[in-house]
Amino acid sequence: MPLSEHEQRLLEQMERALHAEDPKFASALQGNKLRRRLRRRVGFAVAGVLAGGALIGYGIVAGRVALDAAGAAVVVACAWLAWLSWRRIPAPGQIVPASRLRPRRTPRSGSFRQRMELRWQRRRERDGF
């Protein structure tokens, strides 16, 4: 179950307090998971660019235009993914909010009624009922 907005704010306040108290320890703990995940994504994207380039080369040798087009699409998509991921990698001492460490998953699974009940429950928690 994801954290409520209030809980996320409290967690971020605790993270800022930890960073203010011991910045070396906080930076060692904080960004490693996100940095590792994004670097792995960049590595896979670079491998995809190379595979797309190989597909283009094979399409040229085999005389297949469809392989060239597919290889070009793979290269463009993987290069875009690599660029986006590389851009998001935090610096080693940068404070990373907790919301960026966890992948975003919206509670969209379930019926309309379940989503409305969840929304009502969040509203009651937020308003303090």
Side-chain angles (χ1 to χ4, degrees), residues 9-97:
R9 277 186 266 130
L10 285 175
L11 183 60
E12 288 175 5
Q13 285 176 350
M14 289 172 24
E15 288 175 352
R16 283 193 294 268
L18 174 66
H19 190 72
E21 185 178 318
D22 193 0
K24 187 175 180 180
F25 177 69
S27 66
L29 291 179
Q30 200 166 30
N32 288 339
K33 188 185 294 185
L34 178 64
R35 198 175 306 117
R36 188 178 321 123
R37 187 175 62 214
L38 290 174
R39 282 186 182 165
R40 186 178 304 131
R41 187 181 296 169
V42 168
F44 283 135
V46 168
V49 167
L50 294 176
L55 195 60
I56 290 173
Y58 181 73
I60 290 172
V61 170
R64 306 278 182 182
V65 177
L67 288 177
D68 293 336
V74 168
V75 166
V76 168
C78 289
W80 179 71
L81 178 66
W83 178 73
L84 283 180
S85 298
W86 184 260
R87 209 171 62 137
R88 291 183 54 207
I89 295 176
Q94 182 179 358
I95 296 177
V96 180

